[in-house]
Amino acid sequence: MANWSELPADVLKHIIGFLPIQDYHRFSAVCRYWGMVAKERRHSPAQQIPWLAMGELEDTKKRKFYDVLEARHYYLDVPELRGTVLCGSSYGWLFTLDRKLNFRLVNPLTGECYDLPRPPPFNKGHVESEIYLQHYLVIKGILDYDPRTRSDFTALILYGASYTPAFWRVGHTIWTTITGIRGGPDDITFFEGKFYFLGTPCTNSYSEFYTFEVGT
């Protein structure tokens, strides 16, 4: 009988790439060796229906996630997410913001992080209220491409009470505010090389679509 605990590490890492998140963690619990391979977190799990990211437990600081397909909660210890508000997600990356206004992109499964400039116009100071962080600083954040596959990615956020859009590219030191959208956008998305904005309904009850493309 084959000894599964003696499979080469490169084979196990290849297998991990085909597993959804829940099986990724079951894989790590098979034995100590498999757990060590999984903790290297060099391969993201396979694509799947997203989990819902929820709050953290006060005693352990673990972050709670909800798997819609299995109707089950999972509690993951992700140090990079402790004490942060989640402002958006793209390709498995989470936009996180803490009370000192440290703004980051975090991959909760690989532990990779990107430091982002502080969201405009709050360039210094800190915020004590998590409600203020969640509802008035950054409402939503998305990416055009996965940072694991393209190093020249762009991030776009909606911030402030008026949902003002702004973008940032790798190498930039500040966010660039986007103007010209009447009433401000209600939502943003990215598709086939362009960002799309859904404008706030006008007085005649129709909404406007805007497209935005970041140049080189």
Side-chain angles (χ1 to χ4, degrees):
M1 182 178 295
N3 188 345
W4 294 97
S5 65
E6 295 180 356
L7 284 174
D10 58 343
V11 174
L12 295 176
K13 293 173 184 177
H14 183 71
I15 293 173
I16 287 175
F18 295 94
L19 302 180
I21 297 175
Q22 56 269 40
D23 290 336
Y24 183 96
H25 290 280
R26 291 166 183 152
F27 174 99
S28 67
V30 170
C31 65
R32 180 176 297 179
Y33 173 55
W34 286 31
M36 291 175 59
V37 172
K39 286 181 179 179
E40 292 183 8
R41 301 190 292 185
R42 295 181 180 176
H43 296 266
S44 295
Q47 293 185 356
Q48 64 176 71
I49 293 178
W51 285 6
L52 298 179
M54 308 175 74
E56 64 181 26
L57 303 180
E58 292 186 4
D59 52 349
T60 63
K61 302 302 180 183
K62 289 184 177 182
R63 181 72 63 162
K64 181 165 64 173
F65 295 86
Y66 182 71
D67 181 357
V68 178
L69 290 180
E70 291 190 348
R72 179 178 177 182
H73 288 98
Y74 288 89
Y75 302 87
L76 307 183
D77 186 12
V78 185
E80 296 83 2
L81 299 183
R82 293 175 184 170
T84 65
V85 170
L86 307 184
C87 308
S89 66
S90 281
Y91 306 105
W93 294 80
L94 301 176
F95 287 79
T96 69
L97 188 65
D98 65 20
R99 289 180 175 84
K100 294 183 179 180
L101 303 184
N102 295 313
F103 199 24
R104 309 174 82 188
L105 272 177
V106 176
N107 188 316
L109 296 175
T110 65
E112 296 170 280
C113 296
Y114 282 90
D115 291 325
L116 304 174
R118 287 182 173 179
F122 308 96
N123 295 322
K124 57 185 177 179
H126 67 281
V127 180
E128 296 293 342
S129 171
E130 186 170 306
I131 295 178
Y132 186 84
L133 273 173
Q134 189 171 18
H135 294 288
Y136 294 100
L137 286 186
V138 179
I139 289 85
K140 184 174 183 178
I142 62 171
L143 303 172
D144 56 356
Y145 298 105
D146 187 345
R148 292 175 62 88
T149 60
R150 286 189 54 162
S151 60
D152 58 340
F153 66 92
T154 300
L156 194 146
I157 61 172
L158 299 179
Y159 73 90
S162 59
Y163 286 35
T164 303
F167 74 91
W168 170 87
R169 298 194 71 182
V170 174
H172 290 196
T173 58
I174 61 173
W175 292 87
T176 301
T177 299
I178 301 170
T179 60
I181 300 178
R182 292 194 298 176
D186 273 351
D187 204 357
I188 52 175
T189 190
F190 179 82
F191 181 70
E192 294 188 351
K194 293 182 180 180
F195 289 101
Y196 290 85
F197 300 83
L198 177 63
T200 302
C202 303
T203 55
N204 52 8
S205 298
Y206 69 85
S207 299
E208 295 180 340
F209 277 104
Y210 298 82
T211 63
F212 177 75
E213 190 172 2
V214 179
T216 57

